[in-house]
Amino acid sequence: GIVDPSTATINYNESANIDIAAETPMYHIEKVVCGNDTVLYGNNTDTLITYTVQHVTSDTLVEAFFAINTYDVTVEAYANGTLEPAQTITVEYGTDTTFTFTPDACYHIEEVLVDGAAIDPVPASYDFTNIAANHTLAVTFAIDSFAMTATVNDPTMGEVTGGTAACGSTFEYTVTAYNGYHVDHIER
């Protein structure tokens, strides 16, 4: 960062302004220490300040401390699957990080939202690269389902209704014979 002026001569009991600037966009001003006075800043937006030294009566040291910006990647995973890493993480400016999604048995990844926008096609992982802002990641898992179809050898004699079955569930077909007919047999 930059401290301006870096050295100054000030008359007794006068004040002086010191401009402090962080190297952006990577750093911010963490704190300024002047004798027993410490001013904490510590968020990613404090990049340029003016610090005033009041009523100088002796040699005075003003120290500026800078820190790298940090950002949160907030994760939200719904039931029936896992994310790795599984919780919100805080990373430094410019970091790359990958999240991997694993559905439970009988489930699939239904939707992935990054900063509120759907990712299509739905990935099994997501890479955040060169992070320079906060991000959100939400992953939804859905149960696998299967189309259950059936046919009748002669549709004039009756009908069979199909449908959709969730993975691991029991499905019942409805077999209806029309008047004058009966169900002779059912093949799998």
Side-chain angles (χ1 to χ4, degrees), residues 55-126:
H55 309 291
V56 176
T57 59
S58 64
D59 289 347
T60 303
L61 175 64
V62 176
E63 296 177 281
F65 295 85
F66 302 92
I68 193 163
N69 292 340
T70 58
Y71 302 98
D72 291 333
V73 179
T74 303
V75 298
E76 187 172 344
Y78 297 97
N80 307 310
T82 59
L83 271 69
E84 184 60 41
Q87 71 279 340
T88 296
I89 62 171
T90 300
V91 297
E92 290 183 347
Y93 175 90
T95 300
D96 298 340
T97 191
T98 299
F99 286 84
T100 304
F101 328 127
T102 306
D104 291 344
C106 283
Y107 288 84
H108 62 277
I109 302 165
E110 181 177 50
E111 183 176 55
V112 175
L113 298 174
V114 174
D115 298 331
I119 304 299
D120 189 33
V122 174
S125 65
Y126 188 81

Side-chain angles (χ1 to χ4, degrees), residues 11-167:
N11 293 330
Y12 183 84
N13 208 29
E14 288 189 0
S15 300
N17 289 329
I18 300 171
D19 293 324
I20 302 171
E23 192 177 315
T24 59
M26 187 182 299
Y27 292 95
H28 63 274
I29 301 164
E30 182 178 38
K31 65 183 175 181
V32 176
V33 177
C34 179
N36 292 329
D37 183 31
T38 299
V39 179
L40 300 176
Y41 294 93
N43 68 51
N44 294 344
T45 60
D46 293 320
T47 58
L48 178 63
I49 63 164
T50 298
Y51 182 83
T52 303
V53 181
Q54 300 285 337
H55 309 291
V56 176
T57 59
S58 64
D59 289 347
T60 303
L61 175 64
V62 176
E63 296 177 281
F65 295 85
F66 302 92
I68 193 163
N69 292 340
T70 58
Y71 302 98
D72 291 333
V73 179
T74 303
V75 298
E76 187 172 344
Y78 297 97
N80 307 310
T82 59
L83 271 69
E84 184 60 41
Q87 71 279 340
T88 296
I89 62 171
T90 300
V91 297
E92 290 183 347
Y93 175 90
T95 300
D96 298 340
T97 191
T98 299
F99 286 84
T100 304
F101 328 127
T102 306
D104 291 344
C106 283
Y107 288 84
H108 62 277
I109 302 165
E110 181 177 50
E111 183 176 55
V112 175
L113 298 174
V114 174
D115 298 331
I119 304 299
D120 189 33
V122 174
S125 65
Y126 188 81
D127 298 321
F128 289 96
T129 58
N130 197 25
I131 296 174
N134 292 325
H135 291 285
T136 60
L137 173 67
V139 179
T140 305
F141 301 96
I143 194 160
D144 295 335
S145 59
F146 306 96
M148 306 302 289
T149 58
T151 58
V152 176
N153 65 341
D154 184 346
T156 63
M157 294 183 210
E159 65 184 11
V160 178
T161 57
T164 303
C167 180

